[in-house]
Amino acid sequence: MRLLNISVIAALALGSCASKKDVPATTGVESWITTGDRSSLLQKQNTPLHFSTAMNNNINIVVDEQQTFQTMDGFGYTLTGGSATLMNGLPAAEKKAMLKEIFSTAGNGIGISYLRLSVGASDLSAETFTYNEMPAGQTDPELKNFSIAKEMTDLVPMLKQIIAINPKIKIMGSPWTAPTWMKDNQAYRGGSLKPEYYQAYARYFVKYIEAMKAEGIVIDAVTIQNEPLHPGNNPSMYMTPQDQANFIKTALGPVFKAAGIKTKIIIYDHNADRPDYPISILNDPEANPYIDGSAFHLYGGQISALSKVHEAFPNKNLYFTEQWVGGPGNFAEDLKWHVSTLMTGAPRNWSKTVLEWNLAADPQYRPFTPDGGCTSCLGAITIDGKTWTKNIAYYSIGHTSKFVSTGSVRIASNQNDKIQNVAYKTPEGKLVLVTMNNSPETQTFNIKYNGQVVSTTLAAGAAGTYIWNSKPRAK
């Protein structure tokens, strides 16, 4: 039996002075492992794990369901326009199997519960577009030409199939740019939204939400602007914190309220090196009431910056909405970083979501927009004609999404430098511990719960998820 590839239980007898009445018996623990060498890929382990009252000198990860934190909205990806096109191009049988494996928890499914969409094109679309473009020199402040027709070929059909598999999936919309006639440079890349079009742009959001709802697609939340401090993407748009505050308090918030729109308004949607950006907007007493929370990426800064925003505004929510994997990638190192930094780090810093970047790309990382699109974004899956394969982001997200359903609550677990971890209690009464052996050596450690321990072993750089039934605390 090789310790590097499987979890091993040190089955220990109950102490002679303890009785079942003193310490309630806890059912067995399921474990699922992914190793850096790919010998195990989100694989359920056959060796049974059982709790015991006998103690040892291993590292203890103490799980305490009595201490609760944020409620989770979900885990997933951005379903870019390019992703939708590639997925929709698969043969019918292959497409059906793929969607079931990604969006269902049955069998090998990883149960993705949250998707982010681009409102109009992102830089991983085949071309640039918005839902209300006009010929050069013309404007349309009444939005008479608004249309989501470009999404009816691939994105909307794919979303309908996804919702049929998971009707409870949550969906966020994020624009990369406003229609170009609303911008001071009248271009897809860069430029800023002109204040005279604040009202029109607010109504643009309303029309988008209503158009998607007419197709049976509920937009749970929108961010104001993807990466507002990065005007170099194609498309993109620059927005200062004051721009966002003014837009929300004078246009978007009141327009949503007047239209009866319940979609959440989320600010920032950019890197963790600027927690001052959302804090300054939340400090505006007129903008604040309309705002649900703030969204972050991690191409700069530290994940702990999310906690700074939480400490400043504990009544506002936090969302982690994007992180890429640069192709071709390094599976072992990417697994270690994404699980330890994002999958455990973001929730431990109050995030309600963890979303990796694009769901799908082809072997050449296409499609992407010309002159400003991402040319090396590795999808969670690669679609090559009629076949698809899984990449690192499939497993990093899957280690949580398969087991932690929407509505799960993060609970307390002590952090350890060698075994990074985060714990949850699901609505079904399951406890879930997601771990990463962040050390260069195999580690044997205990999961300690209600005065009992279960011992397990993780290879260096391996991810492990452990699931067991919640039990009443001993009295």
Side-chain angles (χ1 to χ4, degrees), residues 81-374:
S83 297
T85 297
L86 290 167
M87 293 163 69
N88 202 30
L90 285 170
E94 191 72 10
K95 186 195 312 182
K96 182 178 180 180
M98 173 201 64
L99 291 175
K100 184 177 179 181
E101 192 159 343
I102 295 172
F103 294 99
S104 169
T105 56
N108 293 327
I110 61 171
I112 291 305
S113 52
Y114 206 107
L115 284 177
R116 180 172 176 242
L117 312 176
S118 61
V119 180
S122 75
D123 58 308
L124 291 186
S125 296
E127 60 179 339
T128 51
F129 65 91
T130 71
Y131 302 137
N132 204 145
E133 281 305 303
M134 297 296 293
Q138 296 184 31
T139 64
D140 183 20
E142 299 301 319
L143 306 180
K144 294 178 180 179
N145 293 290
F146 181 94
S147 172
I148 63 166
K150 282 186 176 290
E151 309 291 23
M152 300 306 293
T153 302
D154 295 313
L155 181 66
V156 168
M158 291 308 303
L159 285 169
K160 288 182 176 181
Q161 293 176 61
I162 289 165
I163 292 167
I165 296 169
N166 182 2
K168 296 182 179 179
I169 195 165
K170 288 184 179 289
I171 298 172
M172 170 186 285
S174 300
W176 264 239
T177 183
T180 57
W181 55 267
M182 296 185 186
K183 299 169 69 176
D184 56 13
N185 69 345
Q186 298 186 0
Y188 281 108
R189 183 156 68 173
S192 297
L193 179 66
K194 298 172 76 171
E196 57 261 41
Y197 292 121
Y198 279 6
Q199 297 295 321
Y201 195 40
R203 293 194 302 272
Y204 179 90
F205 276 92
V206 171
K207 282 186 170 287
Y208 166 70
I209 292 164
E210 292 178 341
M212 296 297 272
K213 184 178 180 180
E215 297 297 330
I217 300 160
V218 176
I219 304 299
D220 183 70
V222 292
T223 65
I224 305 298
Q225 171 62 40
N226 172 71
E227 299 190 345
L229 298 179
H230 177 35
N233 270 345
N234 186 26
S236 58
M237 187 170 74
Y238 182 77
M239 292 187 88
T240 67
Q242 192 60 56
D243 290 338
Q244 286 206 5
N246 288 338
F247 176 60
I248 292 166
K249 68 186 180 183
T250 67
L252 190 63
V255 167
F256 270 24
K257 184 177 181 180
I261 298 294
K262 303 300 183 183
T263 301
K264 301 177 183 77
I265 295 173
I266 299 172
I267 58 174
Y268 192 42
D269 207 8
H270 207 170
N271 291 333
D273 57 352
R274 290 290 306 274
D276 60 296
Y277 189 116
I279 288 173
S280 67
I281 300 172
L282 292 168
N283 277 328
D284 188 314
E286 295 178 82
N288 180 292
Y290 296 113
I291 298 167
D292 173 84
S294 310
F296 284 88
H297 306 175
L298 197 60
Y299 305 113
Q302 301 295 321
I303 197 69
S304 58
L306 278 67
S307 284
K308 294 181 180 179
V309 181
H310 172 78
E311 290 161 8
F313 292 93
N315 63 326
K316 298 296 183 180
N317 293 314
L318 290 163
Y319 303 85
F320 191 88
T321 50
E322 181 187 316
Q323 193 68 30
W324 83 319
V325 177
N330 179 315
F331 189 93
E333 291 304 313
D334 290 337
L335 176 70
K336 185 189 299 184
W337 189 90
H338 282 255
V339 175
S340 64
T341 306
L342 301 186
M343 302 313 301
T344 72
R348 291 189 79 98
N349 285 280
W350 296 96
S351 181
K352 291 170 69 68
T353 62
V354 185
L355 309 181
E356 297 272 15
W357 178 211
N358 53 317
L359 177 48
D362 77 4
Q364 288 75 45
Y365 317 116
R366 299 176 302 194
F368 46 80
T369 57
D371 190 27
C374 180

Side-chain angles (χ1 to χ4, degrees), residues 426-462:
T426 74
E428 299 77 26
K430 297 283 188 179
L431 300 187
V432 181
L433 181 70
V434 181
T435 64
M436 165 53 66
N437 179 0
N438 216 34
S439 77
E441 299 173 342
T442 296
Q443 296 291 332
T444 298
F445 64 96
N446 299 328
I447 302 169
K448 187 174 183 181
Y449 168 67
N450 274 7
Q452 298 178 300
V453 298
V454 61
S455 299
T456 188
T457 298
L458 272 181

